[in-house]
Amino acid sequence: DAGVTQSPTHLIKTRGQQVTLRCSPISGHKSVSWYQQVLGQGPQFIFQYYEKEERGRGNFPDRFSARQFPNYSSELNVNALLLGDSALYLCASSLESQTYNEQFFGPGTRLTVL
Amino acid sequence: AQSVTQLGSHVSVSEGALVLLRCNYSSSVPPYLFWYVQYPNQGLQLLLKYTTGATLVKGINGFEAEFKKSETSFHLTKPSAHMSDAAEYFCAVREAGTALIFGKGTTLSVSS
């Protein structure tokens, strides 16, 4: 079975632009979470969606937004890009949204902001 | 608030030596604890997790970890390191709710 897939794998943008990252969860998984991993740091939680509803939000500005579609895939949008948004963006899916549900991570999208 | 501290940003061992990666957590309730591994240019792979029950947890690739509530620790060990174990390791905690809270990571280097 396919794991979590993310697109694109790499992306280069300039300051002030907008970007959309995409994630397809494992088949049958209803929950998707997004994390930002800055070089040399651990991942930081951005959002969780379950059944198309936002279930959690990390400490990120309103420039970050996300949504989940009826097929459970998800998009992460970042507006007005800053240099500090350069990072690996990881998507994780889980069967449900309970605390004990294992999160399976995709390979990530590497975003570089120039 | 939940937090995770990984002691030692870089650990170096020889092939065949014991691997010990340290993790301490802060949580107001009994936590769920996880260890993930990340190879270069890849996502995170779950090594093992503690939810409830037995405090000694066995994971993949010969790794294990012990939950010690009195010490608020969840250290990762492997009796004999292999070259293929060289990677970044992350400890994470999760309370009731959704988010995984990660430590800053420990880079494991294995020399022959």
Side-chain angles (χ1 to χ4, degrees):
Chain A
D1 286 341
V4 177
T5 59
Q6 293 186 242
S7 62
T9 54
H10 294 86
L11 204 51
I12 299 175
K13 293 285 187 179
T14 57
R15 281 178 295 175
Q17 286 189 311
Q18 175 265 342
V19 68
T20 298
L21 311 180
R22 295 176 176 82
C23 172
S24 292
I26 292 171
S27 177
H29 285 196
K30 300 178 182 177
S31 177
V32 169
S33 297
W34 287 94
Y35 293 81
Q36 180 196 63
Q37 186 179 15
V38 173
L39 196 63
Q41 301 291 322
Q44 282 200 304
F45 172 72
I46 310 175
F47 287 109
Q48 189 197 32
Y49 277 77
Y50 175 70
E51 291 279 18
K52 297 174 289 181
E53 291 188 0
E54 183 182 304
R55 286 298 185 93
R57 183 185 184 114
N59 188 24
F60 281 81
D62 291 343
R63 299 185 295 108
F64 288 77
S65 63
R67 55 180 176 169
Q68 186 176 33
F69 299 98
N71 66 353
Y72 302 112
S73 67
S74 177
E75 286 183 352
L76 175 70
N77 295 285
V78 186
N79 294 322
L81 285 168
L82 303 174
L83 295 179
D85 295 331
S86 294
L88 181 68
Y89 288 84
L90 295 165
C91 173
S93 77
S94 58
L95 200 59
E96 302 283 341
S97 65
Q98 280 78 11
T99 307
Y100 54 80
N101 288 142
E102 179 181 346
Q103 294 192 353
F104 294 83
F105 285 81
T109 293
R110 173 78 59 190
L111 172 65
T112 302
V113 182
L114 301 177
Chain B
Q2 309 165 69
S3 67
V4 174
T5 302
Q6 291 185 240
L7 299 175
S9 59
H10 198 158
V11 171
S12 297
V13 299
S14 299
E15 197 171 19
L18 170 71
V19 175
L20 171 60
L21 304 182
R22 300 177 187 274
C23 173
N24 288 90
Y25 68 90
S26 171
S27 175
S28 58
V29 298
Y32 287 44
L33 295 160
F34 305 80
W35 275 100
Y36 284 86
V37 61
Q38 186 176 35
Y39 297 100
N41 301 313
Q42 294 188 26
L44 301 172
Q45 180 184 12
L46 181 68
L47 280 175
L48 48 80
K49 65 179 178 182
Y50 170 79
T51 55
T52 58
T55 56
L56 182 63
V57 180
K58 295 187 183 299
I60 62 172
N61 301 336
F63 285 94
E64 63 182 35
E66 186 172 10
F67 170 60
K68 292 187 176 181
K69 183 178 179 181
S70 61
E71 298 177 8
T72 61
S73 69
F74 191 56
H75 301 331
L76 181 71
T77 60
K78 183 174 180 178
S80 177
H82 294 156
M83 297 293 287
S84 61
D85 294 327
E88 187 85 12
Y89 291 82
F90 293 96
C91 181
V93 65
R94 194 178 190 192
E95 292 180 352
T98 58
L100 281 166
I101 307 300
F102 287 88
K104 292 186 176 181
T106 297
T107 301
L108 176 65
S109 299
V110 183
S111 58
S112 57

